[in-house]
Amino acid sequence: MPITARDLRRFKAEGRRFAMLTSYDVLLARAFEVAGIPLILVGDSLGVFVLGQETTLAVTMDNVIHHCRAVRAGLVEALLVADLPFGAYQASLEEGVRNGIRLLKEGGAAVVKLEGPEFALVDKLTAKGVPVMAHLGLTPQSFHQLGGNRVQARSEDAVTGLVANARRLEEAGACALVLEGIPNEAARRVTDVLEIPTIGIGAGPHCDGQVLVGPEMLGMSNGAAPRFAKRYAELFGTIVAAATQFAADVEQARYPDKEHSYDWPIR
Ligand code: KIV
């Protein structure tokens, strides 16, 4: 049975912890679903991990829709969540609603994710039939305002504000809340007061779910990673070794051999 946004509250009520991974293409999406990952996110991190940009700020609606379609093609049951990128909802509520609807209609997403305490937009989107996953703490679209990707909720006051915002997002209709880059204790306090699940990234062990960037947890990226980004494989090295072997086989006429070519006459 396909997982729906409504199932997320039930997961929490049943004490079921769950994983989410980002994917931007059909191959990883398929592999993650086969592995039993119930939620797949087409994050605006695609700007960094696919398009080679420094931050997520330049990602467009068309970028997200393009990759969302590819991911959709790889999924049968997993819940497909897609990010509203920077600029898609900051100018007006109307534009945010229009773009949220585009992610469902054109991208094939089932839930849209958006950053910040956007209570009115969450309320409007859910009222129009667009399920919303909220995102608080370190919100990379506020890179310039936050002065970089720094851990948030560093004081008692900040944690109190975070808890209040989380409550209001739940009241506005959010189906889940991503908590990024905050201390464990702050995530615990938010998780304890909500009926919707929290999904942590760099937010410690007390969240109901955890999300990682797919290519990062597979070790496909070669650059520096934040400390929470555990690598479950080292694919960058595997890919380099395979490509090196291919080049050597071509240069030394070992490839293609009899097994990998068509004899004449064809049988
Ligand atoms: O874009 C993204 O990958 C995200 C995750 C870090 C939650 O928003």
Side-chain angles (χ1 to χ4, degrees):
M1 281 280 283
I3 295 165
T4 70
R6 290 174 65 101
D7 290 326
L8 300 181
R9 259 179 199 259
R10 183 173 54 79
F11 288 177
K12 177 155 183 158
E14 292 171 355
R16 174 173 163 190
R17 291 166 68 90
F18 58 91
M20 177 161 85
L21 283 171
T22 71
S23 167
Y24 320 102
D25 65 65
V26 63
L27 296 179
L28 273 194
R30 190 72 218 118
F32 289 160
E33 179 166 297
V34 169
I37 302 293
L39 276 72
I40 304 293
L41 169 65
V42 180
D44 58 0
S45 52
L46 75 86
V48 176
F49 288 91
V50 180
L51 304 178
Q53 296 160 355
E54 289 285 317
T55 70
T56 60
L57 296 181
V59 174
T60 64
M61 278 298 296
D62 287 345
N63 291 152
V64 177
I65 288 170
H66 179 81
H67 288 273
C68 204
R69 283 192 184 147
V71 169
R72 173 80 277 155
L75 302 182
V76 180
E77 298 202 327
L79 183 69
L80 178 52
V81 184
D83 257 339
L84 274 173
F86 182 63
Y89 58 101
Q90 282 80 1
S92 71
L93 283 181
E94 288 65 31
E95 196 173 13
V97 172
R98 212 173 291 120
N99 282 325
I101 291 171
R102 277 191 74 193
L103 289 183
L104 267 58
K105 280 178 83 87
E106 298 176 45
V111 175
V112 306
K113 180 167 83 57
L114 58 91
E115 295 185 6
E118 300 281 349
F119 314 117
L121 181 56
V122 172
D123 183 57
K124 272 237 167 347
L125 280 166
T126 50
K128 300 292 177 196
V130 180
V132 179
M133 181 177 285
H135 183 159
L136 292 176
L138 196 177
T139 46
Q141 291 178 17
S142 307
F143 183 83
H144 295 298
Q145 197 182 11
L146 299 179
N149 288 333
R150 304 174 66 239
V151 172
Q152 299 297 303
R154 289 163 172 266
S155 66
E156 273 298 329
D157 280 357
V159 175
T160 305
L162 180 72
V163 171
N165 285 342
R167 279 185 192 274
R168 288 187 65 189
L169 286 165
E170 176 173 272
E171 281 161 22
C175 66
L177 172 64
V178 168
L179 291 174
E180 178 167 357
I182 59 171
N184 300 351
E185 174 59 16
R188 188 188 64 72
R189 289 195 212 168
V190 174
T191 302
D192 283 354
V193 300
L194 297 186
E195 285 180 18
I196 57 171
T198 56
I199 306 174
I201 176 160
H206 304 298
C207 295
D208 301 295
Q210 295 289 331
V211 54
L212 285 176
V213 168
E216 198 163 58
M217 80 98 192
L218 292 171
M220 288 168 87
S221 61
N222 194 20
R227 66 190 272 185
F228 61 77
K230 181 169 175 183
R231 288 165 82 102
Y232 284 83
E234 291 297 339
L235 293 195
F236 188 84
T238 305
I239 292 166
V240 170
T244 304
Q245 185 64 55
F246 171 60
D249 282 358
V250 170
E251 283 158 21
Q252 290 160 35
R254 287 192 298 261
Y255 177 86
D257 55 12
K258 212 172 161 43
E259 190 189 346
H260 297 98
S261 54
Y262 304 102
D263 275 340
W264 180 261
I266 290 179
R267 269 172 267 138

